[in-house]
Amino acid sequence: MEQDTLTIAAEVDATRLEPLETVLADLRRDLDPRTRTADPVVDLPKLGTIHFARFVLIRDERGRPPCLLFATDFDGGRAAHLGVLADQVGPGLEQVFAHCKGFRPGRGVGALVRWMAEHSIEPLCTYRGHPGRGVDQIRQERTLCDALRRHLASLPANPGLDGRSACHAYVQGVGQLAPLLDPPPPARLPQWKKMGLRLRWFAGNTHRLVRALWRIEGQLAELERAESQAFFDARKAATAAGAALHGTGRSLLEHEDLAVSNQLTSVAELKPQPLRREILELVLSAAHLRARTRFDRGDLSGIRTIHFARWFLLDEPPGSPHPPRLVFFSNYDGSWESYLGDFVDQAAWKLTAIWANTQGFPPTEDLVFKGASQERWFKEFVRRVQVPTQVWYAAYPDLTVSEVNRNSKLRELLPKRGGRTEQEAWLQCL
Amino acid sequence: MPVKPTAIDLEDVQGIVLRGYGRLKAACSLLLRFEPDAHALAWLADLRPHLTSAATSPTGSAWNVGFTRTGLERMELPREADLSFDPAFVEGMTGPKEDGSSHRSRLLGDEEESAPARWLWGNAANRVDAVLLLFATDDPALRKLLAAEGPRLARHRITIAAALEGRTLPERQEHFGFRDGISQPAVRNANPPGARPGVLEPGREENTVEPGEFLLGHCDAYEQRSEGGVLPADVAGAALLPAIDPAADPRRHFGHDGSYLVLRQLAQDVTQFWGAVRDAADRAGVEPIWLASRLVGRWPSGAPAVLATKSDDRDLVDHNDFGFAEDDPDGVACPHGSHIRRANPRDWHLAPRGVDASRLSNRHRLIRRGRPYGKELVSDLDPAKLLDAPPDATARGLQFLCFNASIERQFEFVQSTWLDHRKFAGVRDESDPVLGTRAGANGPFTLRGAPFPRSIEGLRRFVQVRGGAYFFVPGLAAIDWLVRDAATPSRSAAPTPPRASA
């Protein structure tokens, strides 16, 4: 199953900020079955193809106009997705987008699709924790797994019993489940396609790589020294007034840990040097390639809790005094503390390679060293650049990445013939 | 810049952080409140000479003290300090709402019957500003200590919000009948002379943790200095506080040699626990004490289930030299969801192969100082008798105390990511079988083994939270700084001589 992402960014009409906040707050309330008081204005679950979605309202303290982001992770192609969105939840989306500058509602499905396409941004990097598995497939495989566990519980614990064969026979006899014995669609790219992606990346990026290395050689050491000095000076200058501000970031917490899955949105200003943007784009394009060729089994550099993640740049109009911003969306399992801890423990240098190009990041050495491995300062940095996610939708908020992948494997191995080892492998997936 | 490990000045650290005071069998935590008319600073100045450091092992009695954020406010600690304190400490254990809907309550499982609004102390209805930890050799000696502390508190108009006794049960058992407090981290460079073996003795490297994980101002597991309560270089009385870094950063460190204390009153329902075990064992056709030992991960004697797979083994009491990945990777002997695997996964961690998993687990360690409270259900806590004992009306449980240098990365992480995580180590919607919250759910708990995994049902929430707060237990030099200007009243009413030691 093909999967893609949609990222829409539009300037909010500053006079309509408050009504937009109300619309989004209502949407958040109504998308959550526990708090719902009416049908959601934008009925995202109805589509059945959206894994995760979010609306984020970014208010900038440095003078940029407010900005609305809308993002989805979905099954199928993007053109079809835009069409389905406009067709099925168009009126709801128009109620939200009506708060954006220049948006005129009521001009029909075609106009809405065009507006969304015009305002969409191509991410620099996307990652998927269970590539190729559609929303339907994930839900069916969960049902299958639950049924098998129930069936096993009903069997006598005969030491010699082959649980897998018993389950296979059981599934064959249940009309709803039997179709799942057909082999699932392939989840990962074949080797030859991966090789093609690698070749294309090198063909497109070698000259950028050489140029960036050349510039790094000349500028980096001095730059890092100055940045490190500024970082420590800022820490020493922290005052009692800062203590009051310290508390404001905590409001993020009220929307965390409501289910097993969680969301994170961060917005970080790039450092002003052109070199920084160059490095960032190069690093993220390499990460994007690796996400397709290497990290396609639910494990991003040792982090096994990310369902979908993406990085993209919010550019400024020409002549703006503001630097571009790096936006990061993540849909992950478990608490913020464990997620960030995993990052620091498993992939600190990779995080450093990305976020060292943004302002306020802990000091680095040679581009990838120190940085995020300075756990305390790194977590402070993340909380500082994190912004609230006004609306978040998750199609299966109680399933972890590892469960989704294990359920698929359970189904895949069920009809296979084999001896004790296969039997053991199957049991491990239960 | 990475911080080099430094020696610990045991004279500056409050004793309870690094010592369990095992010889002092009787304990009491006085939870205190400073009403507007209380003389909080004067009381602290009055108390200061009695406070026990970690330098010597007390044989008669011991005093230690900690403060919540509101308590430190009354000690006139400037607000700047909050910037560097653990946000969990600044916010407090209950969070802004006390009905269980605060983020922190969700994270800790303090919901429904355990919601802060229903606590006996630590909530808005019975606020706590400080804790005075008192220890004595036996009950009569403790009563004498309390008889002296009472008037001192009254003199300074300090309110006792609650008094929690801490007992020592036979064989160091807790109320469910299991030997407790076996696994403790060893702290590098901080081995107090004479500490009880098995706690802070120089440990195996896999069990040795950097001092900055428990004491602020020292090198932590990420080679950073743990910081909290950083003050401007020119704060009043600056000379009494150490600089953050004498060479590079003249700001003053109030938190130096201090530690965060997590205190929670956990009520245990012993008959409900053993009743559920008995019923589940009957249904599964297994022996109840064997099943309970799978839930806990140790036998009642303390012998680890990983090694003593069939029956209890008195030779393995206090045995702590084992690994889960090493000895039981599939969780057959000691299930993945068992209490001790969740509380510290050791070498078994959700990390890719080739990563030193013990090192990662050690970034979330706690020094535990809990003691049981309430009379035991049967006198010798023999599980065979507990199984059939009728319920009584006694309140009993664990006065849980632990120390750490980052509440968010240590205590709260262990509670939410390990103990109460529904998907911990690949389990499906389970919770810790002993401590877990199991919001509304009825079990389950998976036993692995031939011919296929089986779930037992019927586990409930056996442990409820009755009160709790985060405290900061400052170093003694920091306390001297706090009381630097406070008038010290006559010490004639003071109890037994300070720092009673061997």
Side-chain angles (χ1 to χ4, degrees), chain B residues 55-94:
Chain B
T56 52
S57 172
T59 51
S61 49
W63 286 258
N64 288 121
V65 69
F67 303 92
T68 63
R69 184 61 191 91
T70 52
L72 286 179
E73 193 86 57
R74 289 296 296 275
M75 296 294 160
E76 295 168 25
L77 183 73
R79 292 298 303 186
E80 276 101 327
D82 286 359
L83 275 169
S84 49
F85 273 134
D86 191 309
F89 170 70
V90 176
E91 185 180 279
M93 194 184 276
T94 62

Side-chain angles (χ1 to χ4, degrees), chain A residues 155 157-158 235-236 239-240 250 253-254 256-257 345-346 374-377 398 400 403 406-407 429, chain B residues 80 83 87 103 106-107 220 222 224 226 248 251 352 363 408-409 417 423 426 428 448 451-452 454:
Chain A
L155 296 177
N158 275 339
R235 284 188 74 79
K236 284 179 209 165
T239 60
R250 313 298 294 170
L253 296 180
E254 294 310 315
E256 285 176 12
D257 300 300
D345 289 344
Q346 319 276 0
Q374 301 158 115
E375 180 252 1
R376 192 173 306 265
W377 300 338
D398 289 327
T400 61
E403 266 181 312
R406 269 193 304 155
N407 290 351
C429 299
Chain B
E80 276 101 327
L83 275 169
H103 175 256
R106 288 201 298 274
L107 207 63
D220 72 10
Y222 291 92
Q224 279 196 283
S226 46
R251 289 176 304 156
R363 291 173 170 171
E408 293 190 322
R409 173 161 63 77
T417 301
K423 314 283 183 173
R428 294 182 189 255
R448 299 223 156 235
F452 41 74
R454 291 204 159 252

